[in-house]
Amino acid sequence: MEQGTQKVEDFELGEPALVCRWRLAGGRLPLENRHLRALGARVVVGRAVSTQLISWAKQHIEWTLADGSAANPDGVLMLVMDAEGRAAMSVGPYVPLCRVDAAALAERAASAEREAAETGVAPETLWAVCDGALVWGARDGAAAHGAASLVVDLARTLGIEVSRDEGLLSSVAAGDLPEQVFLCSDEHGVVPASDADGDLVERFAAGYAKLLSATKSR
């Protein structure tokens, strides 16, 4: 059996090499399949996450939520992997962002981009609305994190064009604000910028909120 599939009590995790934080709703994981697909695109210390680890994660999501989500049904599921490929899961409370202005959201996206340079997938990305179209602040070919794939599908449903612009992050950080800006996050969902909000961003935020509500009611 690989180290990555051992039970938590069989070993002690080393220094975390990958930390994923996924939002829960009603003790369930709304974007489970999307998160697992994104996990499969990640790397840990230069090695792709194995299919065995993906299977372990899928199995342990159910076990972890059954054991740990009672105290925090709308909390966060955390998956931690160390450099040896060993992994553990836990559930903790959800803590909303304190600052949601465009500069603060750009700062978070920049941190996620640095993480992506090591792990292959950013857990948060910056988005903008320009001339009625959606701009994703990501380079061509970059793998989508779970929440990002949801936004792309929502845009397709609404008939909204999506393009990528890896320069969006630096532009927003420099104070050059598009019409509307939001952060797309595996932990926080769709977060409109308080100083660059608008109708279209609110539609995406409402779509994400509807998903959480529907998951709770199941």
Side-chain angles (χ1 to χ4, degrees), residues 16-93:
L18 173 67
V19 179
C20 297
R21 296 178 63 85
W22 300 332
R23 181 72 176 277
L24 302 177
R28 296 182 175 87
L29 185 60
L31 300 180
E32 178 176 341
N33 290 334
R34 296 176 187 272
H35 290 318
L36 290 175
R37 282 198 297 271
L39 180 61
R42 285 179 163 91
V43 297
V44 176
V45 194
R47 298 189 299 272
V49 172
S50 68
T51 55
Q52 291 90 339
L53 194 284
I54 302 299
S55 297
W56 175 91
K58 186 174 181 64
Q59 184 179 58
H60 277 68
I61 286 171
E62 181 178 352
W63 294 352
T64 302
L65 294 182
D67 291 341
S69 67
N72 296 286
D74 300 322
V76 175
L77 176 70
M78 185 165 67
L79 167 66
V80 181
M81 289 182 60
D82 68 10
E84 300 300 320
R86 298 174 297 192
M89 280 185 183
S90 62
V91 175

Side-chain angles (χ1 to χ4, degrees), residues 20-22 30-39 41-42 121-125 127 136 143-154 184-187 189 208 211:
C20 297
R21 296 178 63 85
W22 300 332
L31 300 180
E32 178 176 341
N33 290 334
R34 296 176 187 272
H35 290 318
L36 290 175
R37 282 198 297 271
L39 180 61
R42 285 179 163 91
V121 180
E124 299 181 329
T125 46
W127 297 64
W136 179 5
H145 56 101
S149 70
L150 173 67
V151 169
V152 170
D153 285 347
L154 286 174
C184 178
S185 167
D186 287 345
E187 180 178 2
Y208 179 79
L211 173 65

Side-chain angles (χ1 to χ4, degrees), residues 182-207:
F182 67 93
L183 182 75
C184 178
S185 167
D186 287 345
E187 180 178 2
H188 301 285
V190 175
V191 184
S194 58
D195 51 349
D197 197 358
D199 292 344
L200 191 50
V201 170
E202 290 299 333
R203 290 182 72 180
F204 285 103

Side-chain angles (χ1 to χ4, degrees), residues 106-119 121-125 169 183-184:
E107 186 177 333
R108 290 190 64 90
S111 176
E113 194 172 75
R114 290 191 291 272
E115 178 179 329
E118 297 181 3
T119 67
V121 180
E124 299 181 329
T125 46
L169 180 56
L183 182 75
C184 178

